[in-house]
Amino acid sequence: MSYSHTATRCCFLLGLAVALTSISPACRADDTSPTPRAPAAKISFTKATQAPPSAVTMDRRGNLYIADPENGQVILMYPDGSQVLFAMGLRTPTGLAVDARGRLYVAEGSHGTIQCICPNGTKTLVAEGLSRPTGIAVDRDGNLTVACPGNGSIARIKGVGAVVEDAL
């Protein structure tokens, strides 16, 4: 498959120059696939003076959440390229996922925990005792699936959404 670049933007993120390039698959005259192909994006980091991001996720609005493990924080980048500090005081964020209600789940790899951060900034511990959690996904029912490379397992944590609701 060939690709055509459609747009490139530059901004600064975590003290690094970042180039965000939207990439769309090139169309062929004989392409009869029934579903349109979504554009992809490529983010390039240059002049790496800090540790690279360890995880990213995107919400329904196209906001990009970027884990900064060295500084224990999550940066929120809006579609226009502007950014804000979304969460800090985390212990090595290594995995991120956003649910349908805009709650961010953060795997803290060095501490074996999962935190939930609500849009209003409230943090709730939703799981602990995991073996170096990294990749994380949340389903529509609020259940988490977490990769735990420390012991070579996949953890399934049910009912996380209810735990967060009770804590608020």
Side-chain angles (χ1 to χ4, degrees), residues 37-131:
R37 295 185 180 138
K42 175 179 144 186
I43 299 176
S44 303
F45 291 89
T46 58
K47 295 187 180 182
T49 58
Q50 298 176 351
S54 59
V56 296
T57 193
M58 190 172 281
D59 67 17
R60 290 181 175 191
R61 294 186 175 135
N63 300 317
L64 184 65
Y65 297 82
I66 304 164
D68 173 4
E70 185 173 286
N71 297 301
Q73 60 191 20
V74 175
I75 305 298
L76 171 58
M77 180 185 278
Y78 296 103
D80 67 2
S82 64
Q83 59 198 5
V84 296
L85 179 61
F86 182 78
M88 54 191 256
L90 299 166
R91 293 166 270 185
T92 319
T94 53
L96 301 174
V98 178
D99 71 10
R101 296 183 64 187
R103 298 176 292 204
L104 178 69
Y105 295 90
V106 180
E108 294 177 300
S110 66
H111 220 65
T113 59
I114 306 289
Q115 298 277 349
C116 177
I117 305 170
C118 294
N120 67 6
T122 304
K123 282 187 203 176
T124 304
L125 177 67
V126 295
E128 57 186 338
L130 300 169
S131 185

Side-chain angles (χ1 to χ4, degrees), residues 54-56 93-97 105-109 113-114 130-138 144-150 153-157:
S54 59
V56 296
T94 53
L96 301 174
Y105 295 90
V106 180
E108 294 177 300
T113 59
I114 306 289
L130 300 169
S131 185
R132 289 193 345 244
T134 55
I136 183 171
V138 59
L144 297 179
T145 304
V146 183
C148 298
S153 69
I154 304 285
R156 179 92 166 137
I157 306 161

